[in-house]
Amino acid sequence: MSGTRLGGLMRRFIFTLVVVVVVAATTVISRSPVHAAVRVVVGVASISTQYAGADFAGEAEQIRATGATAIRIPAKWNLLQPSSPSSFTWTRLDSAVSAARSKGLSILMNLEGPAPVWAQKSGANPLANGNAPADPATFGEFARQVAVRYSSRVAAWEVWNEPNLAHYLIPPTAGEYVPLLKSAFGGIRAGGGNQPVITGGLSSLRTETRDVTFISDMYTLGAKPYFNGIGVHPYTLPYPITADPRAGDGGGAAVLPEGRAIMVANGDSTKSMWVTEFGQPTGNTPASTTEAVQSSIITDAVNRANGLSWIAAIFLFTSRDLSTNKADDNSNFGLYRFDGSPKPVVGGLRGVLG
């Protein structure tokens, strides 16, 4: 979703910069906070690098105040390399990375599109957010350069965002995505990035390529050697992840058991799923809830992820509301209000995370 709306656990794949306690998960997860040690990495999905003048230090401080220990930072290709393959604008991303590390947050670096104009396919609409490159190798070189600069401070890499939606990838198919994944994986490794590589978090919307279909297609197209975990965005608006009445074919959380089954069937039981976005807007739309219900839904999701040993991490979307307009879902996913004051979910997370 990052910027627009909606998407067994191996120890060697967990964030290397985060210390977590492993606990057995043998009971059904309740919707009330659990006060036991939390195994799963809990972070916040930031979108601040997309905006000039963002307060990266303030955001990192707010994230730490929730008890979360990680941040998902977008490294948008079109913003970092806008003019040519030989020039970069690193300042904003440098600031975001430095702020996160200064507060002790582990970083999931999200390498995402669109491709800058110089790398786009012939005839592409230069303003489209889903533009893929004409040559996947150009994205691989971008990934290499980012890894060279940041690998010593990054805990894991995510390749693209919601590639099953045309808003983020044109066309939104595994056939378009897998060459990008392969090229980025090679670039990250060539740039010294030995951390886990996660596939781009898949939207739970059913309007285009369904998430579980996309996962199956990735395996069919030979993606298996090029990732260490599968990224998903199991949004269930406006329901809890454990109590979605549309469960099964209609619910966003269906990707968890169904996607996991696809991984196991393809011999990937030792790899993890990563929830690289999950959230709940507050406001007055059909998809929104009250702030109190948002807190319950988000703490429920953290508990659910913690109870599934094959989920490595969950990142909550997002740190702060984008405006005070309660009629716009996308503006009200924040854990904090637009004025920076905490919503009840901040206290709810502290109760779960300690």
Side-chain angles (χ1 to χ4, degrees), residues 287-305:
S288 300
T289 64
T290 65
E291 291 183 354
V293 172
Q294 179 203 42
S295 179
S296 176
I297 287 174
I298 288 180
T299 54
D300 171 65
V302 170
N303 289 338
R304 176 62 170 163

Side-chain angles (χ1 to χ4, degrees), residues 106-352:
S106 293
I107 296 170
L108 171 63
M109 185 73 81
N110 181 206
L111 304 174
E112 65 169 299
V117 173
W118 59 264
Q120 292 172 8
K121 298 174 182 177
S122 176
N125 174 1
L127 301 181
N129 191 66
N131 280 324
D135 181 0
T138 57
F139 184 57
E141 175 58 17
F142 165 73
R144 188 189 72 83
Q145 294 278 5
V146 177
V148 166
R149 191 172 187 88
Y150 299 111
S151 62
S152 66
R153 291 179 285 173
V154 165
W157 308 88
E158 182 182 6
V159 178
W160 218 263
N161 177 66
E162 296 191 344
N164 61 329
L165 296 183
H167 181 78
Y168 293 105
L169 185 64
I170 303 171
T173 64
E176 187 70 27
Y177 175 70
V178 169
L180 297 176
L181 174 66
K182 291 180 177 180
S183 189
F185 183 91
I188 290 166
R189 295 294 185 251
N194 296 315
Q195 303 88 351
V197 173
I198 314 306
T199 61
L202 296 170
S203 170
S204 57
L205 288 177
R206 305 300 172 84
T207 54
E208 298 174 56
T209 306
R210 186 177 171 183
D211 43 21
V212 291
T213 300
F214 200 98
I215 293 170
S216 181
D217 289 348
M218 285 195 294
Y219 280 106
T220 299
L221 294 170
K224 181 178 178 178
Y226 301 96
F227 64 83
N228 306 116
I230 297 280
V232 294
H233 295 171
Y235 286 96
T236 52
L237 316 180
Y239 305 106
I241 202 168
T242 56
D244 189 341
R246 304 160 300 180
D249 187 62
V255 70
L256 298 177
E258 293 179 23
R260 179 62 182 171
I262 294 169
M263 294 174 70
V264 172
N266 282 276
D268 263 352
S269 62
T270 57
K271 293 181 182 178
S272 301
M273 295 189 84
W274 295 56
V275 179
T276 59
E277 283 186 28
F278 181 85
Q280 173 58 55
T282 55
N284 53 25
T285 71
S288 300
T289 64
T290 65
E291 291 183 354
V293 172
Q294 179 203 42
S295 179
S296 176
I297 287 174
I298 288 180
T299 54
D300 171 65
V302 170
N303 289 338
R304 176 62 170 163
N306 192 51
L308 297 173
S309 63
W310 37 267
I311 293 182
I314 179 169
F315 287 81
L316 306 172
F317 186 86
T318 184
S319 56
R320 187 169 172 173
D321 287 348
L322 300 179
S323 78
T324 58
N325 180 10
K326 297 302 180 183
D328 178 26
D329 290 336
N330 294 327
S331 293
N332 293 283
F333 277 88
L335 306 178
Y336 292 82
R337 302 181 188 96
F338 183 67
D339 64 6
S341 61
K343 295 180 184 178
V345 67
V346 172
L349 285 169
R350 287 191 193 121
V352 173

Side-chain angles (χ1 to χ4, degrees), residues 21-29 34 36-39 303 306-309:
V21 180
V22 178
V23 296
T26 58
T27 60
V28 176
I29 300 302
V34 290
V38 176
R39 168 200 59 81
N303 289 338
N306 192 51
L308 297 173
S309 63

